[in-house]
Amino acid sequence: MDKKNKKVYIETYGCQMNFSDSEIVASVVTSNNFTIAGSPQEADVIFLNTCSIREHAEKRVINRLRELQHLRAKKPGLLMGVLGCMAGRLKEALLEDEKLGMRIDMVVGPDAYRQLPRLLKDAETGGKAIDVILSAEETYADIGPVRYGAGGVSAFISIMRGCENFCAYCVVPFTRGKERSRNPDSVLSEARQLFDEGYREVTLLGQNVNSYRWQDEHAGSILDFSDLLEMVAGINSRLRVRFATSHPKDISDKLIHTIAKHPNICRSIHLPVQSGSTEVLKRMKRKYTRAQYLSRIQAVKKLLPDCALSTDVIAGYCGETEDEHRETRSLMKEVAFDFAYMFKYSERPGTIAAKLFDDDVPDDVKTRRLKEIIDLQQEISLLSNRRDEGSTCEVLVEGRSKRSEDKMMGRNSRNKVVVFQGKDSKPGDYVWVKITGCTSATLMGTIVDQP
Ligand code: SF4
């Protein structure tokens, strides 16, 4: 395959970590003379970077791969590869054409993207190309991401990989392996470069950023996440800093104080609770109780009263009773999250939950409980946005509003989407907006002078 003219199309599913990984994949292939294709039709190689967090996520990918098979008729040499967590979970099973009823040429796990040039060669010569080995060291620190999808305003920076929390329902520790933190110097130089290139926001990424630890051999000191966050915030006060995701058991007062010290560290913390019942949290092996979670929330509200809080909630986990479901809803009311990601429990093969517990909550009950949680959160989000009406906030402009061409959109420090009249503003600008209206998902307003 004469690579000079060959194109790779990357389609990404799942979490922010996967989108950040796709930028590493783009970097590896473009530094091997491939170019990035804008659509599968124009590609010689199609990569789907996949998610395994729920059964539905995997079904979507399988259906998509089936959908794309017809392109082989037009391009016999076309290669298709599965990357990411599905590759790490299903491994060789993805190469069994008969069983799948379709051909997949490459299977590449989250720690094997450096091997892509070799695997592409193997696949070109008709070999089955697979590498799903997990690494205890790999952080891709020396590979500069190619931000082929980003709008030039906000960018992801992965600071660590893997997770060792082994929450009972989760596949991530099995598909992404042991925790390893990235050299802070490489994180800082990436953030500085982004600022110099005009980016005005970075999101520090990890399955659990609070587990970040770097042993500084020279200084003989250990850098934790608060230290790294402070260093990135120190690059420039016009560079906003966000981070995701935190595990409630590791969110320290030190971290909350660090956020309070730096106005450019955004006032929004994503703290997945998953359930409001201590008994369910025990069965989930989340390593905190309802009371411990609420005490962390109190600490945040005390030191950062203007901080927005978001969370993840699972409805219908193994053995969940109506009372335990009620505890989840009462916790959501008590915290009054500004936003939440809410899903039905989806049993994942190979997880601790699948081994220990029955997936015994009937699907219609899961669906009803999920609806109750979503309806409740929508009310809470609307009240939260109503409270912002009449206030003025600083917005980082990201681009045109999807819904109304004559309007611009951006987000404030609290990670709320703001749509406003502002034709003279451009992506990357900071503008002040007076909030005049809202929905449960969006704030609306007009540009005003800085108060
Ligand atoms: S913290 Fe728990 S839920 Fe999150 S990635 Fe790790 S094991 Fe999964």
Side-chain angles (χ1 to χ4, degrees), residues 163 165-167 169-170 172-173 207 247 286:
C163 185
N165 282 314
F166 288 96
C167 303
Y169 52 82
C170 186
V172 172
Q207 309 302 148
H247 192 292
R286 287 289 284 170

Side-chain angles (χ1 to χ4, degrees), residues 397-431:
V397 182
E398 290 177 25
R400 288 205 169 286
S401 158
K402 287 199 188 74
R403 292 237 177 112
S404 29
E405 261 300 297
D406 64 337
K407 294 208 172 86
M408 300 296 281
M409 67 76 63
R411 281 172 298 135
N412 63 17
S413 176
R414 306 177 72 233
N415 208 17
K416 291 193 174 182
V417 171
V418 183
V419 172
F420 57 95
Q421 284 288 357
K423 59 184 178 340
D424 304 333
S425 63
K426 59 187 186 317
D429 287 355
Y430 284 101
V431 295

Side-chain angles (χ1 to χ4, degrees), residues 233-273:
I235 289 171
N236 191 298
S237 61
R238 300 313 274 158
L239 179 67
R240 273 188 178 169
V241 187
R242 298 185 184 279
F243 58 89
T245 294
S246 296
H247 192 292
K249 71 175 172 48
D250 301 322
I251 194 153
S252 65
D253 287 351
K254 178 183 176 185
L255 175 63
I256 304 170
H257 281 290
T258 302
I259 299 171
K261 251 192 316 185
H262 299 274
N264 61 326
I265 300 178
C266 291
R267 281 0 188 203
S268 67
I269 296 179
H270 185 64
L271 210 55
V273 67

